[in-house]
Amino acid sequence: MSFVSESPAAPIVFFDGVCNLCNGAVLFFLDHNPRGNLFFASLQSDAAQRLLGKKAEPGEFPSSVLFLENGILYRKSEAVLRIAEHLSFPWNSFSWTRIFPSVLRDFVYDRIARNRYRWFGKTEACRLPTPAFRSRFLES
């Protein structure tokens, strides 16, 4: 967890823009975020570089989903659980998994992250959002 001093008001999901699993997760988040309060930025984007600055280590790009909320930058399983809190039922109830130590949750997360390209594939470029969701993506 890191603190970002110049943080935007809205929560932001930073994701690997060339990962099929990550793109699928973003589409899932869009479909299940009834308040429409989540915003998104590819880790490869200028917006991510500007907003994250030195708060994320280069080794995390793009191996970890990052979630910025209220000036706090969350990583790995904690980021996913924080994102889930913004989703509709039953997805928002996954916070109960915090009963498991973060070491165990992050072990599972890291295993999936290491194999995501092999299991789910990779694209050459970030997918463009539909016009309905374009305003929720930060580009620069």
Tab-separated table of all heavy atoms in Angstrom, residues 6 14 17 24 34 38 48 50 53-55 62 65 108-109 115 120 140:
chain	number	residue	atom	x	y	z
A	6	GLU	N	-1.296	13.525	-4.974
A	6	GLU	CA	-2.216	14.207	-5.884
A	6	GLU	C	-3.174	13.191	-6.476
A	6	GLU	O	-3.142	12.894	-7.659
A	6	GLU	CB	-1.434	14.911	-6.989
A	6	GLU	CG	-0.560	16.028	-6.469
A	6	GLU	CD	0.185	16.708	-7.587
A	6	GLU	OE1	-0.354	16.819	-8.692
A	6	GLU	OE2	1.316	17.115	-7.341
A	14	PHE	N	-6.005	0.353	-12.419
A	14	PHE	CA	-4.902	0.315	-13.377
A	14	PHE	C	-4.705	-1.144	-13.775
A	14	PHE	O	-4.548	-2.007	-12.908
A	14	PHE	CB	-3.627	0.863	-12.748
A	14	PHE	CG	-3.723	2.320	-12.376
A	14	PHE	CD1	-4.079	2.692	-11.095
A	14	PHE	CD2	-3.473	3.305	-13.317
A	14	PHE	CE1	-4.170	4.027	-10.742
A	14	PHE	CE2	-3.564	4.649	-12.972
A	14	PHE	CZ	-3.915	5.006	-11.683
A	17	GLY	N	-3.039	-3.446	-20.227
A	17	GLY	CA	-3.866	-3.235	-21.414
A	17	GLY	C	-3.712	-4.260	-22.516
A	17	GLY	O	-4.533	-4.307	-23.424
A	24	GLY	N	-10.805	-8.644	-19.952
A	24	GLY	CA	-12.061	-9.282	-19.574
A	24	GLY	C	-12.519	-8.836	-18.197
A	24	GLY	O	-13.711	-8.621	-17.961
A	34	PRO	N	-22.702	-0.681	-10.726
A	34	PRO	CA	-23.938	0.067	-10.957
A	34	PRO	C	-23.823	1.570	-10.681
A	34	PRO	O	-24.530	2.362	-11.314
A	34	PRO	CB	-24.954	-0.581	-10.011
A	34	PRO	CG	-24.153	-1.286	-8.988
A	34	PRO	CD	-22.848	-1.658	-9.646
A	38	LEU	N	-16.223	3.699	-10.959
A	38	LEU	CA	-14.861	3.219	-11.223
A	38	LEU	C	-14.358	3.790	-12.539
A	38	LEU	O	-15.071	3.800	-13.538
A	38	LEU	CB	-14.825	1.694	-11.303
A	38	LEU	CG	-15.068	0.919	-10.015
A	38	LEU	CD1	-15.086	-0.580	-10.304
A	38	LEU	CD2	-14.023	1.249	-8.970
A	48	ALA	N	-1.510	6.584	-16.534
A	48	ALA	CA	-0.999	5.754	-15.438
A	48	ALA	C	0.360	6.263	-14.983
A	48	ALA	O	0.619	6.373	-13.770
A	48	ALA	CB	-0.914	4.297	-15.873
A	50	ARG	N	1.575	9.240	-15.212
A	50	ARG	CA	1.411	10.537	-14.554
A	50	ARG	C	0.822	10.372	-13.154
A	50	ARG	O	1.311	10.965	-12.200
A	50	ARG	CB	0.513	11.436	-15.408
A	50	ARG	CG	0.274	12.813	-14.825
A	50	ARG	CD	-0.559	13.703	-15.744
A	50	ARG	NE	-1.717	13.074	-16.325
A	50	ARG	CZ	-2.886	12.881	-15.694
A	50	ARG	NH1	-3.031	13.255	-14.452
A	50	ARG	NH2	-3.897	12.314	-16.308
A	53	GLY	N	3.311	7.880	-10.935
A	53	GLY	CA	4.638	8.420	-10.686
A	53	GLY	C	5.567	7.360	-10.137
A	53	GLY	O	5.699	6.283	-10.691
A	54	LYS	N	6.166	7.631	-9.008
A	54	LYS	CA	7.103	6.698	-8.400
A	54	LYS	C	6.441	5.850	-7.319
A	54	LYS	O	7.123	5.195	-6.546
A	54	LYS	CB	8.276	7.472	-7.816
A	54	LYS	CG	9.078	8.206	-8.865
A	54	LYS	CD	10.303	8.830	-8.258
A	54	LYS	CE	11.044	9.677	-9.236
A	54	LYS	NZ	11.693	8.980	-10.300
A	55	LYS	N	5.116	5.846	-7.266
A	55	LYS	CA	4.419	5.080	-6.231
A	55	LYS	C	4.371	3.597	-6.536
A	55	LYS	O	4.099	2.799	-5.665
A	55	LYS	CB	2.982	5.608	-6.048
A	55	LYS	CG	2.929	7.048	-5.630
A	55	LYS	CD	3.669	7.266	-4.328
A	55	LYS	CE	3.636	8.723	-3.948
A	55	LYS	NZ	4.528	9.057	-2.881
A	62	PRO	N	3.611	-4.679	-16.089
A	62	PRO	CA	2.179	-4.744	-15.814
A	62	PRO	C	1.787	-5.995	-15.039
A	62	PRO	O	0.725	-6.539	-15.263
A	62	PRO	CB	1.589	-4.755	-17.218
A	62	PRO	CG	2.594	-5.519	-18.018
A	62	PRO	CD	3.937	-5.237	-17.386
A	65	VAL	N	-2.437	-5.744	-10.944
A	65	VAL	CA	-3.508	-4.768	-11.021
A	65	VAL	C	-3.285	-3.826	-9.844
A	65	VAL	O	-2.872	-4.242	-8.756
A	65	VAL	CB	-4.908	-5.420	-10.977
A	65	VAL	CG1	-5.171	-6.096	-9.652
A	65	VAL	CG2	-6.004	-4.412	-11.246
A	108	VAL	N	-1.848	-16.908	-4.538
A	108	VAL	CA	-2.794	-17.304	-5.590
A	108	VAL	C	-2.798	-16.248	-6.694
A	108	VAL	O	-2.738	-16.570	-7.889
A	108	VAL	CB	-4.210	-17.521	-5.013
A	108	VAL	CG1	-5.226	-17.757	-6.111
A	108	VAL	CG2	-4.202	-18.672	-4.019
A	109	TYR	N	-2.849	-14.981	-6.303
A	109	TYR	CA	-2.834	-13.888	-7.268
A	109	TYR	C	-1.581	-13.968	-8.148
A	109	TYR	O	-1.668	-13.869	-9.379
A	109	TYR	CB	-2.879	-12.531	-6.538
A	109	TYR	CG	-2.866	-11.369	-7.486
A	109	TYR	CD1	-4.044	-10.777	-7.903
A	109	TYR	CD2	-1.669	-10.897	-8.010
A	109	TYR	CE1	-4.032	-9.726	-8.799
A	109	TYR	CE2	-1.651	-9.865	-8.914
A	109	TYR	CZ	-2.830	-9.277	-9.309
A	109	TYR	OH	-2.807	-8.249	-10.207
A	115	ASN	N	0.974	-16.595	-15.085
A	115	ASN	CA	0.540	-17.474	-16.179
A	115	ASN	C	-0.561	-16.874	-17.050
A	115	ASN	O	-1.050	-17.550	-17.951
A	115	ASN	CB	0.054	-18.809	-15.584
A	115	ASN	CG	1.183	-19.570	-14.959
A	115	ASN	OD1	2.079	-20.041	-15.638
A	115	ASN	ND2	1.165	-19.663	-13.641
A	120	PHE	N	-4.614	-17.132	-20.968
A	120	PHE	CA	-5.681	-16.301	-21.535
A	120	PHE	C	-5.280	-15.545	-22.795
A	120	PHE	O	-6.129	-14.982	-23.472
A	120	PHE	CB	-6.193	-15.292	-20.488
A	120	PHE	CG	-6.742	-15.958	-19.266
A	120	PHE	CD1	-5.963	-16.112	-18.125
A	120	PHE	CD2	-8.038	-16.449	-19.255
A	120	PHE	CE1	-6.476	-16.727	-16.990
A	120	PHE	CE2	-8.554	-17.062	-18.130
A	120	PHE	CZ	-7.776	-17.205	-16.993
A	140	SER	N	-4.740	10.279	-21.046
A	140	SER	CA	-3.518	11.105	-20.871
A	140	SER	C	-3.731	12.132	-19.805
A	140	SER	O	-4.768	12.250	-19.217
A	140	SER	CB	-3.164	11.781	-22.185
A	140	SER	OG	-4.213	12.593	-22.636
